[in-house]
Amino acid sequence: MKTDKNIYLEIYSMENLILAWKKAKKGKTKKDCVIEFEKSLGANLRVLHDELKNQTYKPKPLKTFILRDPKTRKISKSHFRDRIVHHALVNILEQIFNKTFIYDSCANRRGKGNLFAIKRFEKFQRKATCNLTSKAYCLKADVKHYFQEVSHKILLEIIKRKVSDEKVLWLVKRILENNVSDDKKEKGMPLGNLTSQFFANIYLNELDYFVKQELKAKYYIRYVDDFIALHSSKGQLEMCKNEISKFLKENLNLELHPDKSKIICLSRGVDFVGFRNFYHFKLLRKRNVRKMLLQIKNYKNKKISEDELFQIFQGWNGYAKWANMYKLVDNLIKKEPNFEFI
């Protein structure tokens, strides 16, 4: 059912823009772009308010860079004022769409995340294997070039089912069209935008409902475009894989990744949200270990400060402690005598 109220007014309200500014600057208060914007904070927020109200708002060009961590990804960074608009939009739209998402859609949602996904995986694994006493299988899949292939037309049609305010749809379209590839004006979302993460959940929510309602999958979890389904029958999962592939092509103009979409016996371990998950233990992905070693190397080469390394390590260690790799963390610290502060 579509919303009847004029929610666009809520998006550009000063109260919402102030909240959006606070969210956009979180953890970035020392960045030059934030400092510059805050030199004339009231005036800059007023300009954004007026541009959105009068529908003269136009995002600034994205800045693109390559990130290797170690996987190579092209990240597109929005101007700080545009990030405020992204937060302002998501602040309002998430109130509408969050209630439509399935419980096991785990990415970019309050109270969810990769550790939530791991706990759900462990619970489903026990159920599918009768408390780890029988054989079961996992369909491990992801979508090929997901963010590059999202159709703007289909996304807008999905949003229209819940949002009747044409001005909101205009703003969504403005943001979507601010893509770095001029030859792909009608598809793709830049990695790095809050809106891209939010729209990604809206888009694949269609898949979630198909898998849960049409395929009747009990044990299904999705984290962005990476998803799993567990079942005692390998044949049942083969059928699910074929039906999902067909649904993605016919309804969302997407494809399953041919190399990363397969059915695995659970006893062999399943690679999901950063961990290699076995029946009685889990290990970190090797690339996550290499990522931390690279940051230590960056510190040694004076590319990052001690404070930055400390923050990176704290976050990584909080994540790594969920794996059975205590010796690894100890060895990292012992091998680096300069890091007593850790």
Side-chain angles (χ1 to χ4, degrees), residues 275-291:
F275 297 98
R276 183 80 173 166
N277 300 274
F278 296 88
Y279 277 1
H280 301 290
F281 65 95
K282 63 178 80 66
L283 303 175
L284 272 180
R285 282 177 181 167
K286 289 182 180 179
R287 74 183 189 195
N288 285 343
V289 178
R290 290 196 297 268
K291 184 176 178 179

Side-chain angles (χ1 to χ4, degrees), residues 116-145:
F116 174 87
I118 285 296
K119 289 180 180 178
R120 294 295 285 173
F121 177 85
E122 290 173 346
K123 180 178 181 177
F124 289 166
Q125 182 174 242
R126 287 194 298 271
K127 286 182 174 290
T129 61
C130 297
N131 205 23
L132 310 181
T133 61
S134 61
K135 182 179 283 190
Y137 300 87
C138 175
L139 168 60
K140 168 78 169 65
D142 72 12
V143 179
K144 183 180 179 181
H145 301 150

Side-chain angles (χ1 to χ4, degrees), residues 19 23 90-91 94-95 98 106-113:
L19 176 61
K23 288 183 176 182
V90 173
N91 283 348
E94 70 179 358
Q95 298 173 33
N98 265 348
C106 301
N108 308 308
R109 298 179 64 196
R110 289 191 198 122
K112 302 296 174 81

Side-chain angles (χ1 to χ4, degrees), residues 132-230:
L132 310 181
T133 61
S134 61
K135 182 179 283 190
Y137 300 87
C138 175
L139 168 60
K140 168 78 169 65
D142 72 12
V143 179
K144 183 180 179 181
H145 301 150
Y146 177 48
F147 280 87
Q148 299 172 31
E149 297 299 325
V150 167
S151 165
H152 295 178
K153 181 180 178 182
I154 294 173
L155 176 60
L156 285 165
E157 287 299 322
I158 294 170
I159 294 174
K160 280 180 185 179
R161 295 178 203 158
K162 290 289 181 183
V163 177
S164 59
D165 193 330
E166 289 294 332
K167 291 181 179 180
V168 176
L169 299 172
W170 166 84
L171 180 57
V172 170
K173 193 173 180 181
R174 268 280 158 106
I175 292 170
L176 288 173
E177 289 178 346
N178 189 38
N179 210 331
V180 289
S181 301
D182 292 332
D183 59 332
K184 290 188 176 182
K185 281 292 186 184
E186 295 181 358
K187 68 176 182 177
M189 302 186 298
L191 279 172
N193 276 1
L194 171 70
T195 46
S196 296
Q197 298 166 10
F198 180 66
F199 294 153
N201 272 344
I202 292 176
Y203 204 78
L204 281 184
N205 193 42
E206 302 293 298
L207 172 65
D208 297 341
Y209 272 80
F210 174 74
V211 173
K212 296 293 290 182
Q213 295 186 347
E214 299 298 323
L215 301 183
K216 308 297 182 183
K218 286 185 179 180
Y219 310 132
Y220 166 82
I221 309 168
R222 181 175 61 79
Y223 191 92
V224 193
D225 63 325
D226 191 2
F227 59 91
I228 59 166
L230 277 58

Side-chain angles (χ1 to χ4, degrees), residues 1-8 10 96 162-165:
M1 184 176 179
K2 291 185 179 181
T3 56
D4 296 323
K5 59 182 180 178
N6 188 347
I7 60 174
Y8 191 66
E10 297 180 48
I96 298 168
K162 290 289 181 183
V163 177
S164 59
D165 193 330

